PDB file of all heavy atoms in Angstrom:
ATOM      1  N   ALA Y 252     116.991 119.932 114.035  1.00  0.00           N
ATOM      2  CA  ALA Y 252     117.926 120.786 114.789  1.00  0.00           C
ATOM      3  C   ALA Y 252     119.354 120.643 114.277  1.00  0.00           C
ATOM      4  O   ALA Y 252     120.198 121.527 114.518  1.00  0.00           O
ATOM      5  CB  ALA Y 252     117.859 120.430 116.273  1.00  0.00           C
ATOM      6  N   ARG Y 253     119.643 119.569 113.562  1.00  0.00           N
ATOM      7  CA  ARG Y 253     120.992 119.366 113.023  1.00  0.00           C
ATOM      8  C   ARG Y 253     121.243 120.194 111.768  1.00  0.00           C
ATOM      9  O   ARG Y 253     122.378 120.285 111.292  1.00  0.00           O
ATOM     10  CB  ARG Y 253     121.212 117.881 112.729  1.00  0.00           C
ATOM     11  CG  ARG Y 253     121.122 117.017 113.971  1.00  0.00           C
ATOM     12  CD  ARG Y 253     121.247 115.549 113.677  1.00  0.00           C
ATOM     13  NE  ARG Y 253     122.533 115.206 113.060  1.00  0.00           N
ATOM     14  CZ  ARG Y 253     122.963 113.962 112.887  1.00  0.00           C
ATOM     15  NH1 ARG Y 253     122.204 112.934 113.292  1.00  0.00           N
ATOM     16  NH2 ARG Y 253     124.123 113.710 112.322  1.00  0.00           N
ATOM     17  N   GLU Y 254     120.176 120.773 111.222  1.00  0.00           N
ATOM     18  CA  GLU Y 254     120.263 121.654 110.053  1.00  0.00           C
ATOM     19  C   GLU Y 254     120.947 120.965 108.860  1.00  0.00           C
ATOM     20  O   GLU Y 254     121.764 121.550 108.165  1.00  0.00           O
ATOM     21  CB  GLU Y 254     120.984 122.960 110.405  1.00  0.00           C
ATOM     22  CG  GLU Y 254     120.228 123.773 111.459  1.00  0.00           C
ATOM     23  CD  GLU Y 254     120.865 125.118 111.729  1.00  0.00           C
ATOM     24  OE1 GLU Y 254     121.959 125.380 111.185  1.00  0.00           O
ATOM     25  OE2 GLU Y 254     120.273 125.912 112.482  1.00  0.00           O
ATOM     26  N   GLU Y 255     120.615 119.683 108.671  1.00  0.00           N
ATOM     27  CA  GLU Y 255     121.055 118.938 107.489  1.00  0.00           C
ATOM     28  C   GLU Y 255     119.791 118.427 106.794  1.00  0.00           C
ATOM     29  O   GLU Y 255     119.490 117.239 106.783  1.00  0.00           O
ATOM     30  CB  GLU Y 255     121.966 117.771 107.887  1.00  0.00           C
ATOM     31  CG  GLU Y 255     123.237 118.187 108.601  1.00  0.00           C
ATOM     32  CD  GLU Y 255     124.038 116.987 109.080  1.00  0.00           C
ATOM     33  OE1 GLU Y 255     124.062 115.956 108.365  1.00  0.00           O
ATOM     34  OE2 GLU Y 255     124.639 117.060 110.165  1.00  0.00           O
ATOM     35  N   LEU Y 256     119.041 119.361 106.221  1.00  0.00           N
ATOM     36  CA  LEU Y 256     117.704 119.061 105.719  1.00  0.00           C
ATOM     37  C   LEU Y 256     117.740 118.070 104.567  1.00  0.00           C
ATOM     38  O   LEU Y 256     118.577 118.159 103.670  1.00  0.00           O
ATOM     39  CB  LEU Y 256     117.031 120.359 105.264  1.00  0.00           C
ATOM     40  CG  LEU Y 256     115.527 120.311 105.049  1.00  0.00           C
ATOM     41  CD1 LEU Y 256     114.810 119.963 106.345  1.00  0.00           C
ATOM     42  CD2 LEU Y 256     115.022 121.651 104.510  1.00  0.00           C
ATOM     43  N   GLY Y 257     116.817 117.117 104.619  1.00  0.00           N
ATOM     44  CA  GLY Y 257     116.645 116.148 103.549  1.00  0.00           C
ATOM     45  C   GLY Y 257     115.169 115.960 103.255  1.00  0.00           C
ATOM     46  O   GLY Y 257     114.299 116.426 104.020  1.00  0.00           O
ATOM     47  N   GLU Y 258     114.874 115.254 102.156  1.00  0.00           N
ATOM     48  CA  GLU Y 258     113.478 115.187 101.714  1.00  0.00           C
ATOM     49  C   GLU Y 258     112.566 114.432 102.676  1.00  0.00           C
ATOM     50  O   GLU Y 258     111.391 114.778 102.812  1.00  0.00           O
ATOM     51  CB  GLU Y 258     113.383 114.580 100.315  1.00  0.00           C
ATOM     52  CG  GLU Y 258     113.936 113.196 100.159  1.00  0.00           C
ATOM     53  CD  GLU Y 258     113.794 112.695  98.735  1.00  0.00           C
ATOM     54  OE1 GLU Y 258     112.660 112.454  98.294  1.00  0.00           O
ATOM     55  OE2 GLU Y 258     114.831 112.539  98.056  1.00  0.00           O
ATOM     56  N   PHE Y 259     113.082 113.402 103.370  1.00  0.00           N
ATOM     57  CA  PHE Y 259     112.228 112.686 104.306  1.00  0.00           C
ATOM     58  C   PHE Y 259     111.896 113.549 105.533  1.00  0.00           C
ATOM     59  O   PHE Y 259     110.798 113.463 106.079  1.00  0.00           O
ATOM     60  CB  PHE Y 259     112.859 111.362 104.729  1.00  0.00           C
ATOM     61  CG  PHE Y 259     112.791 110.309 103.657  1.00  0.00           C
ATOM     62  CD1 PHE Y 259     113.952 109.764 103.132  1.00  0.00           C
ATOM     63  CD2 PHE Y 259     111.571 109.880 103.151  1.00  0.00           C
ATOM     64  CE1 PHE Y 259     113.893 108.805 102.131  1.00  0.00           C
ATOM     65  CE2 PHE Y 259     111.498 108.921 102.150  1.00  0.00           C
ATOM     66  CZ  PHE Y 259     112.672 108.382 101.639  1.00  0.00           C
ATOM     67  N   GLN Y 260     112.849 114.371 105.955  1.00  0.00           N
ATOM     68  CA  GLN Y 260     112.559 115.301 107.046  1.00  0.00           C
ATOM     69  C   GLN Y 260     111.478 116.306 106.627  1.00  0.00           C
ATOM     70  O   GLN Y 260     110.583 116.629 107.418  1.00  0.00           O
ATOM     71  CB  GLN Y 260     113.824 116.052 107.445  1.00  0.00           C
ATOM     72  CG  GLN Y 260     114.913 115.181 108.051  1.00  0.00           C
ATOM     73  CD  GLN Y 260     116.212 115.942 108.175  1.00  0.00           C
ATOM     74  OE1 GLN Y 260     116.335 116.834 109.013  1.00  0.00           O
ATOM     75  NE2 GLN Y 260     117.185 115.602 107.338  1.00  0.00           N
ATOM     76  N   VAL Y 261     111.561 116.770 105.381  1.00  0.00           N
ATOM     77  CA  VAL Y 261     110.557 117.726 104.894  1.00  0.00           C
ATOM     78  C   VAL Y 261     109.185 117.058 104.820  1.00  0.00           C
ATOM     79  O   VAL Y 261     108.175 117.639 105.245  1.00  0.00           O
ATOM     80  CB  VAL Y 261     110.969 118.275 103.517  1.00  0.00           C
ATOM     81  CG1 VAL Y 261     109.854 119.153 102.943  1.00  0.00           C
ATOM     82  CG2 VAL Y 261     112.255 119.089 103.630  1.00  0.00           C
ATOM     83  N   GLN Y 262     109.127 115.841 104.290  1.00  0.00           N
ATOM     84  CA  GLN Y 262     107.842 115.138 104.228  1.00  0.00           C
ATOM     85  C   GLN Y 262     107.273 114.901 105.621  1.00  0.00           C
ATOM     86  O   GLN Y 262     106.059 114.996 105.836  1.00  0.00           O
ATOM     87  CB  GLN Y 262     108.019 113.805 103.502  1.00  0.00           C
ATOM     88  CG  GLN Y 262     108.272 113.934 102.009  1.00  0.00           C
ATOM     89  CD  GLN Y 262     108.295 112.582 101.319  1.00  0.00           C
ATOM     90  OE1 GLN Y 262     107.347 111.805 101.415  1.00  0.00           O
ATOM     91  NE2 GLN Y 262     109.375 112.293 100.614  1.00  0.00           N
ATOM     92  N   ALA Y 263     108.158 114.588 106.571  1.00  0.00           N
ATOM     93  CA  ALA Y 263     107.706 114.394 107.950  1.00  0.00           C
ATOM     94  C   ALA Y 263     107.179 115.695 108.536  1.00  0.00           C
ATOM     95  O   ALA Y 263     106.202 115.692 109.295  1.00  0.00           O
ATOM     96  CB  ALA Y 263     108.850 113.851 108.805  1.00  0.00           C
ATOM     97  N   ALA Y 264     107.809 116.813 108.187  1.00  0.00           N
ATOM     98  CA  ALA Y 264     107.342 118.117 108.675  1.00  0.00           C
ATOM     99  C   ALA Y 264     105.940 118.419 108.147  1.00  0.00           C
ATOM    100  O   ALA Y 264     105.086 118.952 108.866  1.00  0.00           O
ATOM    101  CB  ALA Y 264     108.320 119.212 108.263  1.00  0.00           C
ATOM    102  N   ILE Y 265     105.688 118.074 106.883  1.00  0.00           N
ATOM    103  CA  ILE Y 265     104.354 118.276 106.300  1.00  0.00           C
ATOM    104  C   ILE Y 265     103.339 117.389 107.019  1.00  0.00           C
ATOM    105  O   ILE Y 265     102.242 117.838 107.385  1.00  0.00           O
ATOM    106  CB  ILE Y 265     104.381 117.967 104.793  1.00  0.00           C
ATOM    107  CG1 ILE Y 265     105.244 118.998 104.058  1.00  0.00           C
ATOM    108  CG2 ILE Y 265     102.961 117.949 104.215  1.00  0.00           C
ATOM    109  CD1 ILE Y 265     105.541 118.641 102.612  1.00  0.00           C
ATOM    110  N   ALA Y 266     103.708 116.129 107.244  1.00  0.00           N
ATOM    111  CA  ALA Y 266     102.811 115.212 107.959  1.00  0.00           C
ATOM    112  C   ALA Y 266     102.540 115.706 109.375  1.00  0.00           C
ATOM    113  O   ALA Y 266     101.421 115.586 109.885  1.00  0.00           O
ATOM    114  CB  ALA Y 266     103.427 113.812 107.996  1.00  0.00           C
ATOM    115  N   ALA Y 267     103.558 116.270 110.016  1.00  0.00           N
ATOM    116  CA  ALA Y 267     103.394 116.779 111.383  1.00  0.00           C
ATOM    117  C   ALA Y 267     102.425 117.956 111.430  1.00  0.00           C
ATOM    118  O   ALA Y 267     101.639 118.095 112.374  1.00  0.00           O
ATOM    119  CB  ALA Y 267     104.751 117.193 111.952  1.00  0.00           C
ATOM    120  N   LEU Y 268     102.450 118.800 110.410  1.00  0.00           N
ATOM    121  CA  LEU Y 268     101.515 119.932 110.371  1.00  0.00           C
ATOM    122  C   LEU Y 268     100.074 119.438 110.233  1.00  0.00           C
ATOM    123  O   LEU Y 268      99.153 120.002 110.838  1.00  0.00           O
ATOM    124  CB  LEU Y 268     101.871 120.874 109.212  1.00  0.00           C
ATOM    125  CG  LEU Y 268     103.094 121.767 109.439  1.00  0.00           C
ATOM    126  CD1 LEU Y 268     103.501 122.450 108.145  1.00  0.00           C
ATOM    127  CD2 LEU Y 268     102.799 122.815 110.517  1.00  0.00           C
ATOM    128  N   HIS Y 269      99.873 118.398 109.439  1.00  0.00           N
ATOM    129  CA  HIS Y 269      98.538 117.809 109.341  1.00  0.00           C
ATOM    130  C   HIS Y 269      98.122 117.220 110.694  1.00  0.00           C
ATOM    131  O   HIS Y 269      96.982 117.390 111.146  1.00  0.00           O
ATOM    132  CB  HIS Y 269      98.508 116.716 108.266  1.00  0.00           C
ATOM    133  CG  HIS Y 269      98.473 117.233 106.877  1.00  0.00           C
ATOM    134  ND1 HIS Y 269      97.421 117.968 106.366  1.00  0.00           N
ATOM    135  CD2 HIS Y 269      99.378 117.114 105.863  1.00  0.00           C
ATOM    136  CE1 HIS Y 269      97.662 118.287 105.108  1.00  0.00           C
ATOM    137  NE2 HIS Y 269      98.849 117.778 104.774  1.00  0.00           N
ATOM    138  N   ALA Y 270      99.059 116.532 111.349  1.00  0.00           N
ATOM    139  CA  ALA Y 270      98.750 115.874 112.622  1.00  0.00           C
ATOM    140  C   ALA Y 270      98.503 116.879 113.730  1.00  0.00           C
ATOM    141  O   ALA Y 270      97.790 116.591 114.697  1.00  0.00           O
ATOM    142  CB  ALA Y 270      99.906 114.943 113.014  1.00  0.00           C
ATOM    143  N   ASP Y 271      99.081 118.056 113.597  1.00  0.00           N
ATOM    144  CA  ASP Y 271      98.954 119.080 114.644  1.00  0.00           C
ATOM    145  C   ASP Y 271      97.584 119.748 114.639  1.00  0.00           C
ATOM    146  O   ASP Y 271      97.177 120.342 115.637  1.00  0.00           O
ATOM    147  CB  ASP Y 271     100.051 120.131 114.453  1.00  0.00           C
ATOM    148  CG  ASP Y 271     100.107 121.128 115.595  1.00  0.00           C
ATOM    149  OD1 ASP Y 271     100.196 120.685 116.761  1.00  0.00           O
ATOM    150  OD2 ASP Y 271     100.053 122.345 115.336  1.00  0.00           O
TER     151      ASP Y 271
END
Side-chain angles (χ1 to χ4, degrees):
R253 298 176 61 170
E254 297 185 354
E255 299 175 36
L256 195 62
E258 59 180 292
F259 285 119
Q260 294 169 72
V261 174
Q262 289 186 55
I265 293 169
L268 284 169
H269 284 296
D271 187 53

